[in-house]
Amino acid sequence: MNMQLLKVVNGLRPQTALALIIQDDGSLDNPGQLIHDDFSGPKVKSTVIFYNGDSIYDVWVSATGDIWVCSSYGNVYTTADVKFPENAVKTPYDLDHDDVRNSGMDWKMYCLDAVQNGTSIWSPDGVNIFVGTYSGHVYRWDGQTWTQQETPVSQHDGKYITHFAGSAANDVYAIGAHSRELLHYNGDTWKRTAYDESKHGSMDPNGIVRTPEGDYYLASEGGRIWKTRDGQDFELVAVDPELDFVGLTYAHDQVVLAAGKKGVYSIKDGKLSNLRNTFTAETAAGEGTQAVFVRPAKEEKDRTTLAYAVYTGAEERPWVGYSIYFDK
């Protein structure tokens, strides 16, 4: 049983985190579960809040604590107060499972399309939900209906949508995998941005984040960090060939980056600074006063240890590590 901590995001309230864990056997059937960790007390309280056998691929939590999840079988699950239309297609998964019933949450689900593998989910406001797919399409929920949207990378094998960022439902950026193209949605259509590879070289972004000032930062391999405000003009604000950035987020009034074996960096006023180099940071998420980073799994004879680090910025303990154990 190969357990993998796919992603960690901020939880439903301060001093909590939500871990997305999958059982990876190399196929599409990688059952996923959500574990909510509450570390506000003297001991960490871990609770499984979702598991139904579906291959969960991404999770997003709103500022009000609503959870949104997408799966590689085209299903969307949420605890938000919404009423989905009747499913247009059948799905082998449902909500009739103990870990769903006993979560204390009112889960709903909708099947977008059984052949549309959900790869990313995000929202600018908690109402308009964007789901990226393996085919490069985007699905949008506007609070009433789902709409399938074509993008410049639709129907190109492997150019799935990996990350979203934006200021509103009519100002959304997305990254297409492999081609690593940066796309923009204006409320009507998705288009390629004006980044010129012949002028600047390949961007290859591994993540995108928006700052409160309205700037978008993109991190890439080769230690490069790009900035744009409108998707037209791009500035290379920092570069360190010794680094490979694998993700980024915005927390503690700065852009915070996961740099793999080199740990965690920040960029502020155009300067890169190392925040922590005692662990490998495989992903970055969170926002506000808490950033979270997935650490490598540790395989032992009798168990698998999944771990993540939390950057709280607190004066006494700015960094805290947590582990989840699975017996073999």
Side-chain angles (χ1 to χ4, degrees):
M1 180 171 63
N2 183 17
M3 305 303 294
Q4 179 183 351
L5 180 54
L6 195 63
K7 189 175 185 178
V8 178
V9 298
N10 283 358
L12 310 185
R13 53 190 176 274
Q15 293 184 291
T16 65
L18 196 59
L20 168 55
I21 297 171
I22 64 171
Q23 182 178 332
D24 187 2
D25 64 0
S27 69
L28 283 177
D29 296 310
N30 299 324
Q33 59 183 296
L34 294 178
I35 295 180
H36 191 255
D37 282 349
D38 185 340
F39 35 84
S40 60
K43 292 185 178 180
V44 179
K45 182 180 180 182
S46 297
T47 307
V48 178
I49 61 172
F50 187 90
Y51 176 82
N52 71 341
D54 198 357
S55 299
I56 304 303
Y57 204 86
D58 197 17
V59 57
W60 178 84
V61 180
S62 74
T64 57
D66 294 328
I67 304 170
W68 288 84
V69 177
C70 68
S71 84
S72 60
Y73 278 89
N75 296 312
V76 173
Y77 304 90
T78 185
T79 61
D81 184 17
V82 297
K83 186 176 181 180
F84 289 138
E86 185 175 346
N87 284 337
V89 294
K90 292 184 178 180
T91 174
Y93 300 100
D94 56 43
L95 300 174
D96 188 22
H97 290 261
D98 288 343
D99 287 324
V100 177
R101 288 192 297 266
N102 299 333
S103 67
M105 301 176 179
D106 183 16
W107 286 97
K108 301 94 176 172
M109 69 174 293
Y110 183 78
C111 184
L112 300 171
D113 188 331
V115 298
Q116 285 284 13
N117 307 83
T119 55
S120 54
I121 190 165
W122 171 86
S123 173
D125 51 22
V127 176
N128 293 273
I129 309 299
F130 291 83
V131 180
T133 68
Y134 188 81
S135 68
H137 291 90
V138 171
Y139 283 81
R140 176 185 174 185
W141 169 256
D142 62 6
Q144 300 293 326
T145 59
W146 286 100
T147 304
Q148 186 192 61
Q149 301 174 336
E150 296 284 338
T151 75
V153 299
S154 298
Q155 303 301 340
H156 291 273
D157 289 343
K159 292 189 177 182
Y160 52 93
I161 305 298
T162 60
H163 300 84
F164 289 105
S167 63
N170 61 354
D171 179 30
V172 180
Y173 288 88
I175 296 174
H178 297 313
S179 65
R180 307 283 180 84
E181 295 179 80
L182 181 63
L183 313 175
H184 182 257
Y185 177 66
N186 62 8
D188 295 314
T189 58
W190 286 93
K191 296 181 179 180
R192 289 183 172 89
T193 55
Y195 182 81
D196 188 349
E197 287 196 354
S198 64
K199 179 180 179 181
H200 302 296
S202 177
M203 179 184 288
D204 293 334
N206 283 327
I208 181 171
V209 69
R210 182 181 185 272
T211 70
E213 294 76 24
D215 292 317
Y216 292 89
Y217 284 79
L218 299 102
S220 69
E221 299 172 356
R224 291 172 297 157
I225 303 173
W226 298 92
K227 182 175 75 172
T228 184
R229 180 164 287 238
D230 56 7
Q232 300 297 311
D233 297 311
F234 292 83
E235 177 188 358
L236 183 61
V237 294
V239 59
D240 185 338
E242 299 297 319
L243 301 175
D244 283 323
F245 295 121
V246 293
L248 76 169
T249 188
Y250 188 84
H252 300 288
D253 301 320
Q254 59 190 333
V255 176
V256 183
L257 306 104
K261 294 181 179 180
K262 296 295 181 68
V264 178
Y265 280 73
S266 70
I267 181 168
K268 195 170 184 179
D269 300 327
K271 296 182 179 180
L272 274 172
S273 301
N274 180 253
L275 296 178
R276 194 77 169 182
N277 61 5
T278 57
F279 66 89
T280 297
E282 297 183 334
T283 68
E287 60 183 350
T289 59
Q290 180 173 285
V292 287
F293 307 88
V294 172
R295 302 173 66 177
K298 183 179 180 181
E299 297 291 341
E300 300 174 293
K301 181 178 180 181
D302 299 323
R303 70 180 184 181
T304 299
T305 302
L306 306 180
Y308 64 93
V310 179
Y311 177 45
T312 66
E315 187 171 336
E316 292 186 1
R317 294 185 68 194
W319 291 90
V320 186
Y322 298 97
S323 299
I324 306 169
Y325 304 99
F326 289 91
D327 293 331
K328 293 184 176 179

